[in-house]
Amino acid sequence: MFRLTIVYGNKASQDFTGSWGFATLIQTNYETLLFDTGWDGPLLLENLKKLKIEPAGIRKLILSHQHWDHIGGLPEILQANPGLEVYVPASFSENLKREIKKRATLIEIKEPAKISQGIMSTGELGNKVKEQALALDTGDGCYVLTGCAHPGLAAILNSASRYGRIKGILGGLHDSEEFERLRGMRVIAAGHCTAHIERIKELFPKEFIEIEVGLCLDL
């Protein structure tokens, strides 16, 4: 079982504060992980506090790509949790990787890899912007977690599908118009940088969920 909670996003429910960026908490029977950090570290910590989540209880941090709105909260998370394992695409700048190594255990991702029980990285994808996404294997299909989906839906879903049939996707979908790749999914939770959100909502009204801070999904 996976519980996904949006802890940073452009929009927020009334109990939280929204800001440009993205971060999702992943809770499993084995451990708690964080996917991306948004850009404002103090705000990320504030949202976690409202959810009664202790940053020190997060075991692993996965960064999708090296854009400010996904890694800005990194210093605050590392300060709050010095024992963290941090998974980054291998193409991250050497300077940033060196700084992370001073404060945490750094794991560089190039090829598809297992990160936790039932949680796999797609590996580093894309050309102009290198990015990794996650595949969450529920035992009854996989759900994909994306940061911005810069490499395109096709590349991400093709890589994630090695782990099982794709049942849903959550995250930013950037300017993708590969709408047919979403057909047949149970859950399409889109937000942050998704340019064609109204079109996706129109095509998949039953499956669509708009991302906002505080949203919680059990998979």
Side-chain angles (χ1 to χ4, degrees):
M1 190 277 287
F2 300 96
R3 170 163 289 180
L4 304 184
T5 306
I6 305 301
V7 293
Y8 202 106
N10 303 8
K11 296 184 177 181
S13 64
Q14 60 183 6
D15 297 327
F16 298 92
T17 302
S19 180
W20 184 267
F22 185 65
T24 302
L25 193 74
I26 309 169
Q27 293 168 294
T28 77
N29 295 330
Y30 305 97
E31 58 187 353
T32 298
L33 308 89
L34 182 65
F35 180 73
D36 285 342
T37 69
W39 81 267
D40 183 336
L43 178 57
L44 173 64
L45 295 182
E46 180 184 319
N47 286 337
L48 288 171
K49 184 176 181 181
K50 288 179 180 178
L51 288 163
K52 296 181 170 55
I53 299 295
E54 289 290 338
I58 297 170
R59 294 280 301 279
K60 295 171 181 175
L61 169 64
I62 304 97
L63 298 176
S64 61
H65 62 298
Q66 196 179 334
H67 280 176
W68 63 276
D69 48 341
H70 294 259
I71 67 169
L74 182 58
E76 284 77 11
I77 287 294
L78 292 182
Q79 185 173 359
N81 188 341
L84 207 55
E85 291 182 7
V86 183
Y87 294 76
V88 306
S91 60
F92 264 39
S93 79
E94 293 303 320
N95 286 337
L96 180 54
K97 288 190 287 189
R98 186 162 46 248
E99 291 302 315
I100 293 172
K101 284 180 183 178
K102 292 178 182 178
R103 298 164 174 81
T105 300
L106 179 71
I107 296 95
E108 298 184 42
I109 297 293
K110 186 72 174 174
E111 303 298 329
K114 179 178 178 180
I115 289 177
S116 183
Q117 186 69 34
I119 302 177
M120 284 72 63
S121 169
T122 59
E124 189 178 59
L125 304 172
N127 296 313
K128 289 185 178 180
V129 178
K130 301 286 189 180
E131 184 171 345
Q132 66 173 326
L134 296 181
L136 312 181
D137 183 4
T138 65
D140 181 33
C142 291
Y143 290 79
V144 174
L145 187 56
T146 71
C148 274
H150 288 286
L153 274 181
I156 291 170
L157 296 178
N158 288 346
S159 180
S161 63
R162 77 185 64 218
Y163 302 115
R165 183 181 174 192
I166 307 300
K167 294 294 186 70
I169 192 166
L170 182 146
L173 304 183
H174 202 52
D175 57 2
S176 174
E177 297 182 11
E178 301 160 283
F179 306 127
E180 279 303 311
R181 294 303 301 261
L182 300 173
R183 199 165 299 281
M185 292 188 183
R186 293 177 182 172
V187 174
I188 303 169
H192 179 45
C193 60
T194 307
H196 302 293
I197 200 162
E198 293 302 322
R199 181 60 175 154
I200 294 170
K201 191 186 303 186
E202 178 186 324
L203 289 170
F204 308 102
K206 293 181 180 178
E207 297 82 4
F208 179 81
I209 300 170
E210 189 159 10
I211 287 175
E212 62 177 18
V213 181
L215 173 69
C216 183
L217 294 176
D218 288 330
L219 306 177

